[in-house]
Amino acid sequence: MVSPARKVNIVKKRTKSFVRVQSDRFKRVGASWRCPRGIDSRTRRRFKGTRPHPKIGYGSNKNTRFLLPDGFRKFTVHNVKDLESLVMLNRTYAAEIAQNIGAKKRVELVERAKQLSIKVVNADARVRAVEN
């Protein structure tokens, strides 16, 4: 199996998601983040004791951004030509077969990736065991 060119320790500054203001008080208000816009909003004015806002300081390290835990970056593949573009970068990028690719094409792509020694992230998807 192909190993990444260099394994870097990924450090996340924050793993908890940012919660929307008053989502704990009303069922109709979902938890996914929305920027507060009220003229008197304590959260928008960033008073002490209010929820943290997403901001640029929470960004990941440039070297480890978009890295998978195994040290590869993802590259979406639709056909064999896309797969062959990863030959020189097979220790940096791992192929991810696109979601709209059928089972027959997937088998071809996984076989070709094995020949080119390219890691496929979702190699097991939509593959049934062949009955003899």
Side-chain angles (χ1 to χ4, degrees):
M1 196 78 230
V2 185
S3 60
R6 60 195 184 100
K7 186 82 169 78
V8 186
N9 194 25
I10 301 169
V11 178
K12 303 277 187 194
K13 290 181 188 165
R14 182 184 168 96
T15 53
K16 273 201 263 177
S17 59
F18 293 97
V19 183
R20 187 176 177 180
V21 185
Q22 293 193 335
S23 63
D24 54 336
R25 300 184 78 199
F26 303 104
K27 205 168 191 178
R28 65 178 178 265
V29 179
S32 66
W33 175 256
R34 298 286 187 279
C35 193
R37 292 192 176 85
I39 56 169
D40 294 328
S41 173
R42 300 168 63 213
T43 311
R44 181 188 61 78
R45 289 154 63 187
R46 303 216 170 128
F47 281 13
K48 218 189 311 185
T50 57
R51 299 170 181 226
H53 273 218
K55 49 190 171 195
I56 202 69
Y58 289 111
S60 297
N61 185 345
K62 202 179 201 179
N63 300 329
T64 61
R65 196 176 302 149
F66 308 119
L67 268 188
L68 299 172
D70 59 4
F72 287 100
R73 283 186 161 78
K74 256 197 271 190
F75 181 80
T76 309
V77 168
H78 296 276
N79 52 40
V80 177
K81 189 180 175 189
D82 289 349
L83 196 64
E84 286 167 354
S85 67
L86 292 178
V87 172
M88 297 299 286
L89 300 166
N90 67 340
R91 299 201 51 216
T92 310
Y93 288 93
E96 180 189 40
I97 300 172
Q99 150 278 309
N100 59 347
I101 304 298
K104 200 189 297 182
K105 273 258 176 66
R106 275 174 192 270
V107 173
E108 290 173 23
L109 286 170
V110 170
E111 283 176 15
R112 185 68 180 133
K114 202 172 277 184
Q115 292 167 4
L116 299 172
S117 71
I118 296 171
K119 181 180 175 152
V120 180
V121 177
N122 55 351
D124 308 333
R126 283 193 224 173
V127 179
R128 285 198 183 133
V130 180
E131 297 174 12
N132 291 332

